[in-house]
Amino acid sequence: MGTRYGCECGVFGLYEPGQPAATLTYFGLYALQHRGQESAGIAVSDGDSVTVVKDMGLVTQAFDEQRLTPLEGHLAIGHVRYSTTGTSNWRNAQPMFRSVGDAGFALAHNGNLANTLELAAQLGKFPGMTEDASSGDSSSDSDLMAELFAGAYPPEPRSDGRDLEHAVLRVLPRLEGAFSLVLMDEAHLVAVRDPHGFRPLVLGRTDGGWVVASETSALDIVGAHFVREVEPGEMIAIDATGLRSQRFAEARPRLCLFEFVYLARPDSILYGQNVHAARQRMGEELARQAPVDADMVMPVPESGVPAAQGFARVAGIPYGDGFVKNRYVGRTFIQPSQNMRGEGVRLKLNPIVENIKGKRLVVVDDSIVRATTSRRIVQMLREAGAAEVHLRISSAPYRWPCFYGLDTGRRSELIAASLEVGEILEYIGADSLAYLELDRLLAATGASPDGFCTACMSGEYPTSLPTSESESLEGAVMLPDPVRYLQPEAVEA
Ligand code: SF4
C-alpha cells in the first residue's frame, strides 16, 4: 500500500581515481531515492580532506549543479534517509562527520542497532543522545557508532594510514542489530555489513574503481557491474592499493524479508533473484492459496502491481487499474495522526470509477500495518460502485515490531498484533481478506528460506532485544544462536 514505513535508508560509496565521485554518488543516491526521501547527503574527498554536504528533502532538492561542482574528489559516500515525524531535522541527516585529531571520517548507516541503550549506558550519556535512543530513533544509533569509532582511533596515527578500518574492526564486535555501513576518511572507503546482513549491501566494479551500494539498481546508474554482495560479517576497505576484505564475524544471513516484499526497487537483485519477478510469484501463490470469483484484479499502486499481475495470471481473471496514483503527494505515513493518514490516502489515490463500477474486485496489496489505509481504500472503492471488494495481501500478517531499521511503530499500533484476520476484515469492511502464508512467501522469493529475518511476521527475532522491548514482547521467540564474533587477532592486517 505504498508507503507506511519509516527509518529505511540507502547508502552508497564510490572510489574511482580521475572521476567526479560526488556527481556519481548523486546519481547513485537518485537510484536509491525510494529508500529515503527525508534528507540526502554526500561526503567527498580529494585525497587531502573530507567535505560533507547534506540537506533536507529529495536528492534533487538537496543538490544542484552549483552545490555539486565544487565537490571535487575521487572518493565519496552518500546517504538518503527516511524517518518518522518528529525526528525530521538537519542534524539527523547523514553522512555524519567526526573529527579525530587532525583528521576525521564520515559515516552513512542503513539499519538499526538493537543494543543502542546498552552501548550508551556503557559509555555514559552523549549530549542529546539518550532521549533519541529511547525512542528508537536510528539517528541516535548512527551517532553512537560514530562516537565509538572515533573513540577507537589509535592515540597516534598508524604508519599505514589505516586508522579508520582498524578503529571500526575494534568496535564491530560490540554492535548488535542491523548495520549496513559505508565510511570514509580522506583516502579510504570502508563498507561493513552486520553478521545477519539484515539490510542489503552490494559491491560493484567500474572501469577504474569500486562502488558499494544498498541495491544493485544504484550500480547500474553509474555504469558499474555487480560483483557480489558484501557478505554478512564482512568488512571491505578500498584505497590506492586496491580492495581488502576481512571477515569480522561468522555469517548468519537473515536478510529482511520485507526487502523482497516492499522495500527494494523492483529492478534490484537480492540473493540472486530479481525482486519484481519474486513479487509476481507472491501474487501467483496468493491466487493458489486464496482464490476468489471476481471480474477484475487490481493493485494498490504501485507496490501492489507485480503481485496483482501474478494473481491475475494464475486466477485467469483480467488485470486492470482501479486507482490513479498522484506521484507528487508525499508518503501518507508522515501525517501525524490516524485521521490525517486517511486524508493522505485520498490525496494520493483516486478511483477510476468507470473501471470499478459494478465489478467484483480482487484488490492486491503488499502488506497491512495499521489498516487505516486499507479501510479507506475499501471505502473509496465501494463509494465508486464496486460490487464486491476482496483484499489479498502478498505477505503474512505484520504482528511484531521491527528493531532492524523498519519503523512501523510499537506493537500496539500493529493491527494484526491484537486482531485475528476475521476481525481485521470486519474493521476494513471488505468482503473477504487473505494474507499470503509465510511458507509460501518465503518460497516465492526463490531464495533459501533459511536466509531471512521474518521476525515481524513470526516473532522469531534473530538477535537479543533491548530488555525493555523483550519484556513487552510476550510470546516472542528468540533464536538461540548468538552470532559468534571472530577473535580480533584474526582480523588484524
Ligand atoms: Fe524485515 Fe520484519 Fe525482520 Fe524488520 S523484523 S528486518 S521488517 S523481516
Side-chain angles (χ1 to χ4, degrees):
M1 169 159 347
T3 41
R4 315 120 288 202
Y5 308 109
C7 285
E8 179 59 18
C9 301
V11 297
F12 185 89
L14 181 135
Y15 185 102
E16 188 168 8
Q19 293 299 317
T23 303
L24 291 168
T25 299
Y26 167 86
F27 288 117
L29 293 181
Y30 187 71
L32 296 172
Q33 186 74 85
H34 60 288
R35 297 185 76 87
Q37 297 90 45
E38 180 188 288
S39 64
I42 294 174
V44 64
S45 169
D46 54 6
D48 289 326
S49 60
V50 177
T51 305
V52 182
V53 176
K54 54 189 181 179
D55 214 336
M56 304 306 292
L58 301 172
V59 179
T60 48
Q61 293 168 322
F63 293 96
D64 56 18
E65 199 111 32
Q66 239 180 341
R67 273 192 134 177
L68 276 172
T69 308
L71 299 179
E72 291 180 356
H74 62 282
L75 164 58
I77 64 171
H79 187 265
V80 286
R81 180 167 197 270
Y82 178 53
S83 79
T84 53
T85 304
T87 57
S88 173
N89 60 49
W90 188 89
R91 190 180 72 82
N92 292 340
Q94 297 189 27
M96 46 185 55
F97 182 79
R98 282 290 184 285
S99 297
V100 189
D102 294 337
F105 67 89
L107 170 151
H109 171 212
N110 177 203
N112 254 106
L113 292 186
N115 63 337
T116 308
L117 289 175
E118 285 84 344
L119 289 169
Q122 285 166 21
L123 295 175
K125 292 179 186 175
F126 295 126
M129 205 209 79
T130 317
E131 197 181 312
D132 285 346
S134 59
S135 70
D137 176 11
S138 69
S139 60
S140 62
D141 58 2
S142 307
D143 245 351
L144 177 62
M145 274 189 281
E147 289 289 341
L148 289 167
F149 295 147
Y153 263 59
E156 294 298 325
R158 292 171 58 99
S159 56
D160 61 6
R162 297 178 186 174
D163 303 67
L164 175 60
E165 58 192 278
H166 280 266
V168 169
L169 280 172
R170 284 181 62 195
V171 171
L172 288 174
R174 299 169 64 187
L175 308 181
E176 284 178 25
F179 49 94
S180 279
L181 301 172
V182 291
L183 304 102
M184 63 178 282
D185 59 17
E186 75 290 345
H188 307 81
L189 172 63
V190 175
V192 178
R193 196 167 173 208
D194 68 75
H196 292 97
F198 286 106
R199 298 288 151 217
L201 193 62
V202 294
L203 176 68
R205 191 85 165 103
T206 58
D207 286 344
W210 297 94
V211 179
V212 285
S214 290
E215 293 183 37
T216 55
S217 51
L219 302 181
D220 304 339
I221 200 169
V222 296
H225 67 263
F226 174 73
V227 175
R228 63 176 174 83
E229 293 192 10
V230 176
E231 296 291 327
E234 181 186 19
M235 185 187 85
I236 287 174
I238 297 162
D239 60 18
T241 66
L243 180 146
R244 295 180 291 285
S245 162
Q246 304 193 55
R247 182 161 287 287
F248 63 89
E250 195 178 299
R252 199 150 305 212
R254 292 287 187 275
L255 177 69
C256 169
L257 185 51
F258 260 84
E259 293 283 350
F260 263 100
V261 172
Y262 163 75
L263 296 171
R265 236 173 75 155
D267 56 337
S268 282
I269 307 287
L270 297 171
Y271 279 161
Q273 303 292 325
N274 170 254
V275 169
H276 180 77
R279 288 176 186 163
Q280 287 189 320
R281 289 194 294 272
M282 290 169 201
E284 292 171 2
E285 278 301 306
L286 197 49
R288 290 185 194 104
Q289 180 202 310
V292 60
D293 268 344
D295 304 309
M296 184 173 99
V297 177
M298 57 168 277
V300 175
E302 292 171 6
S303 54
V305 170
Q309 289 168 342
F311 193 107
R313 194 157 53 217
V314 165
I317 300 171
Y319 173 92
D321 292 318
F323 282 118
V324 171
K325 182 177 179 181
N326 185 333
R327 292 162 206 273
Y328 306 102
V329 175
R331 295 189 159 209
T332 59
F333 190 62
I334 64 171
Q335 310 290 348
S337 69
Q338 291 281 328
N339 251 355
M340 289 188 72
R341 275 187 204 117
E343 294 307 307
V345 177
R346 196 158 51 195
L347 283 174
K348 193 170 181 178
L349 293 176
N350 295 95
I352 306 171
V353 177
E354 294 70 20
N355 278 7
I356 291 168
K357 204 168 181 182
K359 285 187 182 156
R360 298 169 301 161
L361 302 173
V362 177
V363 181
V364 181
D365 202 352
D366 57 75
S367 57
I368 297 176
V369 178
R370 293 176 182 80
T372 320
T373 308
S374 309
R375 184 182 157 106
R376 183 72 190 112
I377 280 171
V378 171
Q379 198 184 341
M380 281 196 292
L381 291 171
R382 291 212 190 278
E383 285 166 6
E388 293 174 19
V389 181
H390 301 274
L391 196 55
R392 294 292 179 271
I393 306 299
S394 63
S395 62
Y398 197 110
R399 293 200 165 100
W400 308 89
C402 174
F403 298 102
Y404 310 120
L406 198 68
D407 182 2
T408 50
R410 302 192 67 78
R411 192 161 186 235
S412 56
E413 295 175 89
L414 307 174
I415 194 158
S418 48
L419 298 186
E420 295 301 322
V421 175
E423 294 169 312
I424 299 171
L425 170 63
E426 206 172 308
Y427 171 75
I428 288 174
D431 293 285
S432 74
L433 166 68
Y435 290 85
L436 185 59
E437 291 162 2
L438 185 54
D439 287 353
R440 290 176 184 261
L441 169 58
L442 286 164
T445 64
S448 164
D450 300 333
F452 288 101
C453 173
T454 61
C456 52
M457 293 168 273
S458 65
E460 296 180 6
Y461 288 89
T463 68
S464 57
L465 298 177
T467 318
S468 57
E469 298 294 352
S470 27
E471 278 165 3
S472 70
L473 292 178
E474 200 185 326
V477 182
M478 307 299 165
L479 296 187
D481 280 344
V483 168
R484 214 161 54 74
Y485 280 86
L486 305 179
Q487 293 303 310
E489 304 80 63
V491 292
E492 282 290 318

